[in-house]
Amino acid sequence: MPSLSQLLIQHGDLLVFDAASMQLQVGLLRGETTEIWRTTPQEAGRGIFTCTRELLDEAQLRLDDIGGFIYCEGPGSMLGVRTVAMALRTWQILKLRPTFAYQSLAIAGYFERKQNTPREFAMIADARRDTWHRQVVNADGELPPLQRVSTSDLGAGELVTPENFRAWTTPPRPAKTCSYDLAKIFSVLKNADLFRQTETPDSFQHEAP
């Protein structure tokens, strides 16, 4: 998978959309050094267009000037992720551009490891029905595939959960909270190969529907 630096070199200005948490985050990436971000508690169906317009106006760009899109495919708010995916599919009809997906727990885990002493831990997010999304982060930085496990199968290691993610179930033991501020996270993702190109933006699912 390509790194963020490679995407910026190949495609120029990129828009980032993330509705996995309770706050919609939209960013405009311009080269290796310039990032502009907007965060709003508005529901995604309105916020995605409001924030995009504000970012484009500030940068004196049009949507046609954007070289590609990056979005969070989950896990997180299923409604928010699907709303973003629907908007991207509509914009793709108007003008075809490359679109790249990333997973919320993978980038949050990558950032948490960068900010603290390297060790093994598990990023978790509520998957409802007494199950959890679990992204293991190994001590060497390796990220195995995302899993969905029951509460009893979370294991005995350290648990970390991103801030502002909805939860309906209490973890079996206290979980540390880590940042999900994309302005901070994307500043350390330049060389991370966490982005996957997709022709049809959609929400992540563990099994095919």
Side-chain angles (χ1 to χ4, degrees), residues 177-195:
T177 300
C178 70
S179 174
Y180 200 68
D181 181 344
L182 294 193
K184 296 178 180 178
I185 293 175
F186 267 70
S187 68
V188 304
L189 291 184
K190 293 297 189 296
N191 297 315
D193 55 346
L194 301 175
F195 304 91

Side-chain angles (χ1 to χ4, degrees), residues 49-155:
F49 301 108
T50 301
C51 291
T52 299
R53 173 48 55 199
E54 290 177 357
L55 291 174
L56 293 176
D57 286 347
E58 181 175 340
Q60 298 183 342
L61 295 173
R62 301 173 304 156
L63 188 60
D64 279 353
D65 298 323
I66 298 300
F69 302 122
I70 301 175
Y71 82 104
C72 177
E73 65 178 357
S77 168
M78 185 66 72
L79 177 59
V81 171
R82 285 178 171 170
T83 300
V84 168
M86 180 177 64
L88 294 182
R89 289 197 297 267
T90 300
W91 284 335
Q92 292 290 56
I93 293 173
L94 300 176
K95 180 181 178 180
L96 188 62
R97 276 167 282 221
T99 300
F100 301 87
Y102 64 86
Q103 293 183 355
S104 57
L105 298 187
I107 66 166
Y110 185 93
F111 180 74
E112 171 68 15
R113 183 180 181 278
K114 283 284 190 180
Q115 298 302 111
N116 297 281
T117 304
R119 80 279 188 201
E120 182 169 314
F121 59 94
M123 297 293 307
I124 62 170
D126 198 325
R128 297 197 179 190
R129 299 182 180 178
D130 200 31
T131 63
W132 296 84
H133 302 288
R134 180 180 66 178
Q135 173 64 69
V136 174
V137 181
N138 291 328
D140 61 1
E142 181 185 359
L143 298 172
L146 180 69
Q147 300 174 309
R148 184 173 60 196
V149 300
S150 66
T151 299
S152 60
D153 290 331
L154 277 176

